[in-house]
Amino acid sequence: MLKTLKQVRMYSIPVSDPRVSELITWYLRALQRAIDIIWDNTEWKYRLPKIERRKRKQIVIIPYKLKVPELPKDKSFKKRLRDDLLQNCPYARHWVDAVIRTAYSIMESWRKRYLRGRARKVKPRVRRRFARCKITLMRVDYGEKRIRITVKPGEYIEVSWGGRWFTRRVEGWSVGEVVLKDDGVLIPFKSTRAIEVRDVVAWDSNELSLDGFSSRVGFIRVDLKPLQSMKIVYERKKRVAQSRGLKDVYEKYVARERNRERDFVNKLASGLTRLLPNTTHVFEDLEKEELVSRRETPKSRRKRNARTPWKIIQRKISERAVVAKVSPRNTSRTCPRCGYVVKTQVGRVFKCPRCGFELDRQKLASVNIYLKYLRMRGFPHSDDPEEAVKGELWVGVTPSGRSPVTWIPVKRDPKGSEAKGRGLGIKRYQAL
Ligand SMILES: [Zn+2]
């Protein structure tokens, strides 16, 4: 099956031009003004509880927030906003449109977070220094690998990505809207290509491991303990620095932890996509997790996002492979064979009271995510999970050093046959 893989890679090109900082200063002032105006014109409307029928029962769904902000979007408002911003604009008019668009996207994301209970009812403030460009302000010369950005009519800033360390990595890619920073220009390179997808792997994210299931390989267990122990060490270091009032040291630890986390995630994503080529990676949609009733999700799984950078892991894999998402509803308490949903969960082993199917609970969610995806794609529920559950592959990432990047401790599966993973084109390393 052919699928389109969209990839984006961001690279920064240093620029030292005082005009950039001046432009950013104006941009931020205009952006905050646009946000102020949108905020002042936002209406707060009541949202009524909904009544739904589920399984012959009437259920009243009470929205999390009863008062919902509605951003002003009509044409006349937008025109007034634009006219207001144009009054103090020494730059090309398209910059005002760039400001308005960014203001709306900031407000939309605040609104979303507010409705989920993640943001307070406080007007967003712009703190980071940046200016997001619009494609209408850019002219890209792919032959010369040069971008010309309009500052004022007839006045330009030019940057070139020729001869950079990443030039070859983005050969044939298209350039998206750049972001100006005080010290450089951030360029997103995009590519869309068709790739052959033959396999599916479903990932269940847990605090100490990423548990995968694919009918070809069987279970895959990715060890996240090195990441967690690294984070625990830095949490302690940061706490000590904080208690001694050493702000610089604290900041240093924050940056180091972030770098090491990024390094780990990059290696994890590239290791997994190399280990499982031509594969769709299926994850639970973490955005939807909060919509699932709290009682349905065990505490251990709700807490898993606290320390593990799930969203970054998903994003990094999506930059390299096709990714799909399924709803997390009931994935950790449904029988994969007969579909029965158990109410209480105890013990390490899942046992279906209806059909007797047994499976290690740690592995249950990944099988269910896998089956959910197949059903979503219109495949019948014909795979007997017991048949597919054969091999077991253990994968780990060493967080520091260049190699080994991915290691697979040699492990035999419960039935005694050699663990699969050989012939997957990956080197085997001794477990650390
Ligand atoms: Zn069952």
Side-chain angles (χ1 to χ4, degrees):
M1 198 192 304
L2 278 177
K3 289 224 173 182
T4 40
L5 175 63
K6 286 185 185 154
Q7 284 174 291
V8 179
R9 284 183 179 154
M10 301 280 273
Y11 293 105
S12 174
I13 290 178
V15 170
S16 55
D17 187 327
R19 289 178 302 168
V20 174
S21 289
E22 281 166 33
L23 174 65
I24 292 174
T25 303
W26 168 83
Y27 185 95
L28 292 182
R29 210 175 293 145
L31 181 59
Q32 191 60 54
R33 178 158 179 82
I35 291 172
D36 292 354
I37 295 172
I38 295 170
W39 179 268
D40 290 341
N41 287 276
T42 295
E43 279 184 66
W44 292 79
K45 292 185 175 162
Y46 273 104
R47 187 162 58 176
L48 296 170
K50 266 194 293 189
I51 297 169
E52 251 182 44
R53 279 181 73 89
R54 265 189 215 158
K55 292 178 188 166
R56 295 189 208 105
K57 264 190 266 173
Q58 298 250 338
I59 295 170
V60 182
I61 299 166
I62 297 162
Y64 185 69
K65 297 274 183 194
L66 279 173
K67 266 189 145 188
V68 177
E70 294 281 352
L71 306 183
K73 282 186 180 162
D74 55 293
K75 264 189 186 160
S76 73
F77 171 79
K78 283 187 178 171
K79 189 183 177 301
R80 271 183 286 133
L81 178 62
R82 190 167 186 270
D83 289 344
D84 181 282
L85 297 173
L86 276 172
Q87 278 176 8
N88 293 306
C89 174
Y91 296 101
R93 290 175 153 241
H94 280 294
W95 277 109
V96 165
D97 300 317
V99 163
I100 291 173
R101 207 185 42 180
T102 310
Y104 269 99
S105 86
I106 290 172
M107 287 298 290
E108 290 286 1
S109 79
W110 166 80
R111 182 179 181 273
K112 262 194 199 162
R113 282 183 295 123
Y114 173 76
L115 291 177
R116 285 196 204 118
R118 289 223 178 143
R120 287 181 302 143
K121 191 177 169 179
V122 174
K123 182 165 69 187
R125 292 230 144 258
V126 194
R127 289 199 179 85
R128 240 171 354 117
R129 282 185 58 82
F130 75 98
R132 185 174 290 279
C133 198
K134 261 189 95 197
I135 213 85
T136 44
L137 289 160
M138 295 165 48
R139 185 185 279 171
V140 185
D141 184 337
Y142 287 98
E144 296 285 320
K145 303 194 192 316
R146 208 164 41 212
I147 305 168
R148 198 183 76 178
I149 301 156
T150 307
V151 180
K152 295 172 185 176
E155 204 186 312
Y156 310 101
I157 291 168
E158 284 204 349
V159 286
S160 166
W161 76 89
R164 306 270 163 186
W165 66 271
F166 57 80
T167 304
R168 278 187 52 204
R169 302 183 68 182
V170 295
E171 195 68 59
W173 292 39
S174 64
V175 170
E177 291 175 334
V178 301
V179 176
L180 302 184
K181 306 264 243 168
D182 282 312
D183 55 352
V185 177
L186 210 56
I187 310 172
F189 291 92
K190 297 176 181 174
S191 106
T192 309
R193 60 194 171 99
I195 59 163
E196 174 77 26
V197 174
R198 289 188 291 268
D199 295 306
V200 175
V201 63
W203 295 108
D204 172 38
S205 29
N206 291 296
E207 205 189 343
L208 296 176
S209 60
L210 188 58
D211 294 282
F213 176 75
S214 114
S215 63
R216 196 172 63 89
V217 183
F219 288 107
I220 307 162
R221 188 181 170 89
V222 183
D223 190 9
L224 297 177
K225 274 187 225 111
L227 176 67
Q228 304 298 12
S229 40
M230 183 276 285
K231 298 203 80 148
I232 289 165
V233 168
Y234 275 99
E235 267 164 32
R236 200 168 50 218
K237 284 183 172 178
K238 285 191 293 189
R239 212 165 39 233
V240 170
Q242 213 167 20
S243 67
R244 291 184 189 161
L246 303 168
K247 201 161 178 269
D248 291 356
V249 180
Y250 178 82
E251 296 293 333
K252 189 181 79 186
Y253 287 143
V254 169
R256 246 186 231 171
E257 181 187 357
R258 194 174 46 223
N259 285 343
R260 295 193 62 182
E261 180 181 286
R262 206 176 287 167
D263 183 54
F264 184 94
V265 173
N266 278 333
K267 283 174 177 167
L268 178 71
S270 65
L272 288 183
T273 45
R274 234 179 302 134
L275 179 71
L276 305 158
N278 306 93
T279 301
T280 300
H281 295 252
V282 187
F283 291 97
E284 288 177 306
D285 193 341
L286 298 177
E287 302 286 331
K288 283 192 183 142
E289 187 155 57
E290 286 142 58
L291 303 177
V292 175
S293 150
R294 288 187 162 255
R295 257 180 304 158
E296 287 177 23
T297 332
K299 208 176 172 191
S300 57
R301 286 167 59 78
R302 274 190 278 122
K303 281 179 85 179
R304 68 189 166 184
N305 296 340
R307 207 178 270 141
T308 320
W310 282 118
K311 290 206 174 138
I312 310 175
I313 292 175
Q314 289 192 2
R315 200 184 63 226
K316 285 289 169 191
I317 291 177
S318 75
E319 285 170 11
R320 293 171 169 89
V322 176
V323 161
K325 284 177 187 175
V326 297
S327 155
R329 180 177 284 269
N330 292 342
T331 48
S332 55
R333 50 181 211 148
T334 302
C335 170
R337 186 156 70 194
C338 71
Y340 184 78
V341 179
V342 294
K343 291 224 164 57
T344 48
Q345 312 177 64
V346 276
R348 266 199 76 217
V349 177
F350 169 88
K351 191 165 188 223
C352 178
R354 200 207 266 166
C355 73
F357 177 81
E358 275 184 42
L359 187 66
D360 187 341
R361 200 178 292 283
Q362 185 103 47
K363 297 171 175 172
L364 183 67
S366 64
V367 180
N368 280 324
I369 294 165
Y370 178 86
L371 293 173
K372 234 181 200 186
Y373 175 73
L374 290 195
R375 276 196 297 272
M376 203 173 83
R377 304 272 324 157
F379 292 105
H381 184 165
S382 62
D383 275 345
D384 188 341
E386 246 168 341
E387 265 311 294
V389 179
K390 281 179 208 140
E392 184 159 352
L393 185 65
W394 287 51
V395 184
V397 175
T398 47
S400 56
R402 278 194 208 126
S403 64
V405 172
T406 311
W407 51 265
I408 301 170
V410 179
K411 177 150 190 334
R412 284 173 177 274
D413 76 90
K415 284 181 185 159
S417 66
E418 189 69 18
K420 292 186 184 176
R422 209 169 259 176
L424 282 170
I426 198 152
K427 279 185 187 162
R428 276 160 181 275
Y429 293 96
Q430 207 60 39
L432 297 179

